Amino acid sequence: MMENELLDERARDLLRWRSRRGLVENDIFVEQFFRTYGASLNVRQAQGLTTLMNLSDNDLLDLLLRRKEPTGDLDTPDVHEVLEMLRSRKPRASLAD
């Protein structure tokens, strides 16, 4: 598979299932991520997400809340890109819309 190739539905569903976390706070970030970016995830981003999901819940939450930044093996472009995607919040539509 090429790095920029989109994940197929089966691979995306498996990644989503594997991304379930023990801390509800992390699950909120992950669910928002899949709602926003799930259909457009590519192989490279999936690799970055997998790397992040291999962290302990507390280490992941520290990164998501910007208490820490990726260092060492985590300090890669793929991890940084996915981490920013996880951290981003799309504005909610107003009630007037």
Side-chain angles (χ1 to χ4, degrees), residues 7-17 34 37-41:
L7 286 182
D8 64 31
E9 185 177 355
R10 184 171 183 268
R12 186 178 61 244
D13 288 347
L14 182 59
L15 180 60
R16 186 177 196 155
W17 183 83
F34 277 100
Y37 302 106
S40 62
L41 278 179

Side-chain angles (χ1 to χ4, degrees), residues 23-33 35 86 89:
L23 284 178
V24 122
E25 294 87 344
N26 288 338
D27 275 337
I28 291 168
F29 280 96
V30 171
E31 284 303 312
Q32 171 74 27
F33 173 84
R35 273 195 307 274
L86 281 158
R89 293 278 190 210

